[in-house]
Amino acid sequence: MDITDYPDLPQRARIVKIAAQLFAQRGYHAVGMSDIQDAVKLGRGALYHHIRSKEDLLYDVTREYITELADSALRLKAEESDPVARLTRLGSTLVHKVASHQAELTVCFRDVQSLSTERCNEVMGWHSRYEQVWRDTMIEGAQTGVFRPFDALVLKGVLGMYYYCYLWMKPQRPEGAQAIAERFNDLTLRMLRAT
């Protein structure tokens, strides 16, 4: 993967974006500060003017994208009362977010455990808030008779299907993000619908 330069972004946002690409490509622990410095084309002093540490970059990437997902899900929960429509929108939003920010979501799902305990707990708290919206949607659907009774294992399986598309998704291919979202949503609704 080529590292994109992002000349239109403010310097700090550009550094975070490029660091996310490096972390996604090589893994967080395999990337050193000198690799980031080379990729962003800044001297050591200029780089440290914008960031304090490699972990700060990891924290920024993981926190930003999981809080965006959680905030979006919480807004959707407040706006959409129909569990089927809400679940479909949750799935589509997640697939499109992975497609549009694949490097960042790769890091978010794969490398969050590399954060310090306090930061990891914070990010995982946002992750729990996000999953809670899926859980509540499935429970509401069961209570209204459109879904089967709630099963936590099915929730984990459904979310795993969506989350791990970061491993193989190629948004530029013909089956792009919209087609993937539609197929995943169809599978999810077939699994959940009351018979």
Side-chain angles (χ1 to χ4, degrees):
M1 160 176 41
D2 292 330
I3 301 297
T4 308
D5 194 33
Y6 306 105
D8 297 333
L9 290 178
Q11 192 70 283
R12 179 161 171 65
R14 181 178 158 272
I15 293 166
V16 171
K17 196 103 169 126
I18 291 172
Q21 287 185 300
L22 287 170
F23 297 159
Q25 181 181 29
R26 300 182 200 168
Y28 172 72
H29 292 292
V31 176
M33 287 304 288
S34 61
D35 297 316
I36 296 167
Q37 182 182 325
D38 291 345
V40 299
K41 300 175 181 76
L42 290 176
R44 185 176 175 87
L47 178 62
Y48 280 101
H49 173 75
H50 296 284
I51 63 161
R52 290 185 321 186
S53 69
K54 186 172 84 163
E55 188 192 352
D56 282 354
L57 291 171
L58 178 62
Y59 175 66
D60 287 350
V61 170
T62 56
R63 184 177 47 103
E64 177 178 351
Y65 289 93
I66 197 61
T67 56
E68 282 180 12
L69 280 171
D71 286 344
S72 169
L74 289 165
R75 278 192 308 275
L76 179 57
K77 184 178 177 183
E79 294 167 7
E80 181 58 72
S81 60
D82 176 38
V84 173
R86 188 188 315 149
L87 200 75
T88 301
R89 287 177 61 191
L90 284 166
S92 295
T93 300
L94 180 52
V95 170
H96 283 282
K97 182 63 87 172
V98 171
S100 62
H101 296 89
Q102 196 164 5
E104 292 87 346
L105 271 294
T106 297
V107 174
C108 193
F109 293 140
R110 187 189 65 201
D111 294 326
V112 68
Q113 299 299 328
S114 297
L115 289 169
S116 64
T117 302
E118 184 179 335
R119 285 177 163 182
C120 184
N121 289 342
E122 178 191 340
V123 172
M124 293 309 291
W126 281 101
H127 189 83
S128 294
R129 288 181 194 93
Y130 177 69
E131 284 195 5
Q132 188 64 46
V133 175
W134 283 79
R135 175 185 304 273
D136 292 347
T137 302
M138 289 181 179
I139 290 170
E140 288 169 28
Q143 289 170 342
T144 58
V146 294
F147 293 159
R148 299 171 189 259
F150 175 73
D151 183 332
L153 190 58
V154 171
L155 170 63
K156 290 296 183 189
V158 165
L159 285 172
M161 176 176 68
Y162 287 94
Y163 287 158
Y164 288 98
C165 68
Y166 81 82
L167 291 168
W168 52 264
M169 184 188 293
K170 304 285 185 237
Q172 68 277 16
R173 288 191 181 164
E175 74 275 8
Q178 184 59 35
I180 291 168
E182 288 170 6
R183 288 169 85 177
F184 278 13
N185 288 339
D186 179 60
L187 281 169
T188 298
L189 292 173
R190 280 195 275 157
M191 278 191 287
L192 295 178
R193 280 200 190 276
T195 53

